[in-house]
Amino acid sequence: MAFHYPNGTPYNNHEAPQSKKQVKKRKSIQFGKRGMDFEEKINKSNAFYLSRNTAVIHKKPTPVQIVKVDYPSRSAAVIKEAYFRQASTTDYNGVYDGYYLDFEAKETKNKTSFPLKNFHQHQIDHIQQCLAQKGICFVLMWFSSLNRCFFFSGEDLVTYWSEQESTGKKSLPLSIIEKNGIEIQIGIAPQVPYLDAVRQHIQSNKGVAINDN
């Protein structure tokens, strides 16, 4: 199925064709080392938080306009071409203990830095707008090669993003993320206990205690 961005540019979420050996090696890295997809871990964590009445966080749906459908049979339809109606903002949003949360989930195979090209200007603009309304914005960074996860605040992300032109730095060093971010230990229930980092972030910035359900 062919997807397109709002400006008509084709969307390709797959890499160029690879040999069977490369595909086998890549699958080994993705499934043997990383296990479940990072986004799926977050989704399951959100379901856990919801079941415990801790927070209501959902993945944002991306509006899609279908333009071509094939009907191989009367009881089946196959979407062949579609367009994203608008550029996406961030992946997740919701409410936790009276606070509005809005965040993005990103991953990299890099071991020493996180590429800023993983973000887009419209996402940074959205984060700035939410911060202006006193929302809590952040990104969950997953270093798949290291099996390490970090909470990195929206404020810091906006700062480093805006400094790209003056500093020429196109990535965030792991040392900066370790210093300014909050490492999250992957668990079982929830698998990505990111609300622990959110509580720590709120307490350090506002000096208030947060309910721990």
Side-chain angles (χ1 to χ4, degrees):
M1 178 175 59
F3 277 93
H4 300 265
Y5 288 107
N7 63 3
T9 304
Y11 170 77
N12 181 13
N13 193 33
H14 304 280
E15 296 178 355
Q18 297 176 322
S19 66
K20 290 183 179 180
K21 183 177 181 180
Q22 288 175 311
V23 171
K24 184 177 181 180
K25 182 179 179 180
R26 185 181 177 195
K27 285 185 177 180
S28 175
I29 293 174
Q30 289 182 333
F31 300 105
K33 197 170 182 180
R34 280 167 38 196
M36 187 182 297
D37 179 77
F38 183 46
E39 186 176 285
E40 184 61 23
K41 288 183 180 181
I42 296 174
N43 293 341
K44 288 185 177 294
S45 299
N46 289 339
F48 174 84
Y49 287 137
L50 184 63
S51 70
R52 297 299 182 91
N53 295 316
T54 303
V56 180
I57 312 293
H58 294 290
K59 182 172 174 58
K60 300 178 187 177
T62 302
V64 173
Q65 180 179 354
I66 300 172
V67 297
K68 184 179 180 181
V69 182
D70 282 355
Y71 294 91
S73 66
R74 296 182 62 183
S75 60
V78 178
I79 300 173
K80 291 294 185 179
E81 186 173 358
Y83 287 80
F84 293 120
R85 290 181 179 176
Q86 60 191 38
S88 61
T89 53
T90 47
D91 290 330
Y92 297 91
N93 70 338
V95 181
Y96 162 62
D97 200 39
Y99 293 93
Y100 173 74
L101 305 187
D102 198 295
F103 63 96
E104 181 75 5
K106 297 286 189 182
E107 63 179 288
T108 182
K109 294 180 181 178
N110 290 1
K111 295 182 179 181
T112 59
S113 65
F114 202 97
L116 289 171
K117 68 178 182 180
N118 284 1
F119 303 95
H120 304 284
Q121 185 61 57
H122 62 267
Q123 293 175 322
I124 301 299
D125 293 340
H126 174 75
I127 289 174
Q128 287 180 303
Q129 291 166 351
C130 291
L131 289 173
Q133 298 300 323
K134 299 181 180 180
I136 296 176
C137 299
F138 55 95
V139 56
L140 295 180
M141 296 179 172
W142 174 243
F143 285 81
S144 60
S145 298
L146 302 175
N147 289 315
R148 298 182 71 184
C149 180
F150 293 89
F151 167 106
F152 199 74
S153 74
E155 291 90 343
D156 284 339
L157 177 63
V158 169
T159 297
Y160 284 102
W161 175 272
S162 61
E163 290 178 350
Q164 284 185 91
E165 291 187 8
S166 60
T167 63
K169 295 180 179 179
K170 301 299 181 181
S171 63
L172 283 168
L174 177 58
S175 58
I176 292 294
I177 297 171
E178 290 174 327
K179 178 181 178 181
N180 295 348
I182 301 171
E183 186 159 8
I184 300 169
Q185 300 299 325
I186 300 299
I188 299 176
Q191 295 184 359
V192 185
Y194 65 87
L195 286 187
D196 293 345
V198 171
R199 280 191 287 269
Q200 187 175 333
H201 173 74
I202 294 173
Q203 291 170 3
S204 63
N205 284 272
K206 300 180 182 296
V208 295
I210 305 299
N211 293 329
D212 188 1
N213 296 329

